[in-house]
Amino acid sequence: MYIREEIENIEKRILSKEAILSVDTKGRDFYENLCPIRTEFHRDKDRIIHSKSFRRLKHKTQVFIAPEGDHFRTRLTHTLEVSQIGRTIAKALSLNEELVEAIALGHDLGHTPFGHTGERVLNRLHPNGFNHREQSIRVVEILEHHPNRPGLNLTYEVKEGILRHSGDIRSETLEGQIVWYADRIAYINHDIDDSLRAGIIRESDIPERITRELGKSHSERINNMIINIIENSKNEDEIAMSENFFQYTNELRNFMFENVYLNKRAKSQDDKAEYILEEIYNYYMYKGELPRNHVDIYKKIESVTKEDMICDYIAGMTDRYVINKFNKLFVPQSWSNY
């Protein structure tokens, strides 16, 4: 018996009847032989971690563009926090941790440079709009190169969870629903932590009624939110917070929008970021040619437009790469005869 089969049998014995078992996956777009060691969701997790898109997350903005301190979150550290919160909930509910982890690790692969500012710019410029959830699916289905097939060829459940990690339509799996909550728990709390570090808000600014219910510190709030989800989801057919806790969590999220995400001082570099991205987009739209290695990705892809290719190219850039690209395209360089 393969090690994978032993692990699959363990899943059948210990996981909840509501869990998605590795053997019950709806499969991949392209057939592959099973791994003798890893389950299907384990393979997906490994593919995401080893992808170029995952590595680039370390140089993509979470909230603050080009922060000077070493302790501010990036899109990569956000992803790792979502993964850890998700696994904690999944373990307590006897759901499939590897499926949760794979979804969490892949959920932001399609995020743009400069965070949601970049997303807004591409959404405005592309005729069909732009959404980072849908872009994450493009990354895993098309943009991550493989010599024999497009994309990472992930399982249906992982891709569905990535697509539904935010927004109004919840995932059809409990594991995907966990990531929806884990993402929100992570970004609300670590963005508070970063905003305090940046001096954008003070602890006393957070309404007392919220801290009284959710917790006064970073760790208290995360712990209380996780416990509340576990207590309200045990042996249920959906993942949920209590109505009261969910209300206060949304109030805290609204507080962050009013005081951080839309704060002029916190977003003081946004206008510059928008200008850079728009200029690069228009350059490739009307003047320059996209790199050949990027265009070659689409050789076997039908119905792709120039706007699609430009958006894919820009969305994949890190913050520092897009700044360097702007300087190379638009800032005069020192002349050299070498």
Side-chain angles (χ1 to χ4, degrees):
M1 179 181 290
Y2 289 126
I3 293 174
R4 169 185 49 77
E5 293 174 312
E6 294 176 3
I7 297 171
E8 290 168 347
N9 287 333
I10 291 172
E11 285 186 356
K12 291 177 182 177
R13 291 199 306 270
I14 69 173
L15 293 187
S16 163
K17 62 181 178 63
E18 304 293 342
I20 301 296
L21 301 179
S22 301
V23 295
D24 292 335
T25 175
K26 294 180 180 179
R28 308 177 186 278
D29 290 339
F30 301 92
Y31 174 79
E32 297 182 33
N33 293 326
L34 296 175
C35 175
I37 299 172
R38 298 167 299 164
T39 67
E40 289 293 79
F41 298 143
H42 188 161
R43 292 176 86 185
D44 285 0
K45 178 185 68 175
D46 289 352
R47 289 179 183 188
I48 291 167
I49 289 175
H50 289 286
S51 70
K52 297 187 295 295
S53 301
F54 185 78
R55 295 195 293 275
R56 290 197 298 268
L57 295 177
K58 67 181 177 180
H59 293 301
K60 290 194 177 191
T61 291
Q62 174 59 29
V63 173
F64 298 100
I65 295 174
E68 292 185 2
D70 292 334
H71 295 154
F72 287 93
R73 270 72 170 188
T74 65
R75 190 62 59 177
L76 178 60
T77 56
H78 160 73
T79 294
L80 297 177
E81 292 186 38
V82 173
S83 176
Q84 190 56 39
I85 291 170
R87 288 201 65 158
T88 300
I89 297 171
K91 178 174 286 188
L93 297 176
S94 298
L95 296 174
N96 197 315
E97 289 182 63
E98 288 187 335
L99 175 54
V100 168
E101 187 173 18
I103 296 170
L105 292 174
H107 83 280
D108 269 354
L109 291 180
H111 232 300
T112 58
F114 305 138
H116 287 286
T117 299
E119 185 173 16
R120 287 196 304 271
V121 172
L122 294 184
N123 184 54
R124 172 167 53 84
L125 294 174
H126 194 291
N128 295 324
F130 181 92
N131 180 286
H132 80 273
R133 293 182 289 107
E134 297 171 357
Q135 188 67 17
S136 293
I137 297 299
R138 283 184 67 81
V139 168
V140 301
E141 288 188 337
I142 298 174
L143 301 177
E144 276 294 335
H145 178 70
H146 187 279
N148 300 323
R149 51 164 170 73
L152 299 178
N153 197 28
L154 302 182
T155 58
Y156 170 86
E157 292 79 10
V158 171
K159 291 194 296 181
E160 192 273 343
I162 289 173
L163 183 61
R164 302 301 182 201
H165 80 264
S166 63
D168 296 330
I169 302 177
R170 299 293 182 91
S171 172
E172 62 193 51
T173 71
L174 297 187
E175 287 83 359
Q177 292 176 30
I178 285 176
V179 176
W180 189 95
Y181 276 101
D183 182 39
R184 183 165 292 209
I185 291 170
Y187 77 69
I188 289 174
N189 286 289
H190 66 49
D191 290 352
I192 290 174
D193 192 40
D194 282 354
S195 300
L196 291 169
R197 181 174 292 109
I200 301 299
I201 61 173
R202 298 166 298 179
E203 289 275 10
S204 58
D205 292 333
I206 304 174
E208 194 274 335
R209 69 181 183 279
I210 295 178
T211 58
R212 184 177 62 247
E213 294 294 328
L214 301 183
K216 297 183 181 299
S217 70
H218 177 78
S219 59
E220 279 185 10
R221 284 189 295 269
I222 292 178
N223 191 59
N224 291 338
M225 288 176 176
I226 289 173
I227 290 173
N228 186 269
I229 289 174
I230 293 168
E231 290 177 343
N232 284 275
S233 305
K234 193 74 173 177
N235 300 319
E236 299 292 338
D237 59 1
E238 68 174 355
I239 305 300
M241 281 181 170
S242 67
E243 185 176 342
N244 184 60
F245 230 75
F246 190 63
Q247 175 186 331
Y248 281 108
T249 299
N250 282 336
E251 283 192 34
L252 185 57
R253 182 172 179 267
N254 292 337
F255 167 84
M256 290 299 292
F257 268 97
E258 293 170 7
N259 294 274
V260 177
Y261 304 142
L262 302 179
N263 181 291
K264 289 183 179 180
R265 189 157 70 92
K267 312 307 285 182
S268 61
Q269 302 300 308
D270 278 18
D271 288 347
K272 297 176 185 177
E274 289 188 20
Y275 177 77
I276 288 172
L277 293 173
E278 185 164 358
E279 287 299 306
I280 292 175
Y281 181 95
N282 288 332
Y283 173 82
Y284 285 113
M285 191 69 205
Y286 303 111
K287 298 178 182 178
E289 293 185 0
L290 289 163
R292 175 51 52 188
N293 63 339
H294 179 71
V295 175
D296 286 345
I297 294 172
Y298 305 94
K299 282 183 177 179
K300 298 181 180 180
I301 307 299
E302 299 179 359
S303 303
V304 63
T305 66
K306 187 175 183 179
E307 291 89 343
D308 293 334
M309 290 190 284
I310 295 170
C311 266
D312 289 339
Y313 184 49
I314 293 176
M317 295 179 179
T318 62
D319 295 11
R320 64 182 186 178
Y321 185 91
V322 79
I323 291 171
N324 289 337
K325 177 63 71 173
F326 178 86
N327 287 335
K328 184 177 181 180
L329 293 177
F330 300 109
V331 177
Q333 307 296 305
S334 298
W335 185 87
S336 172
N337 61 354
Y338 292 105

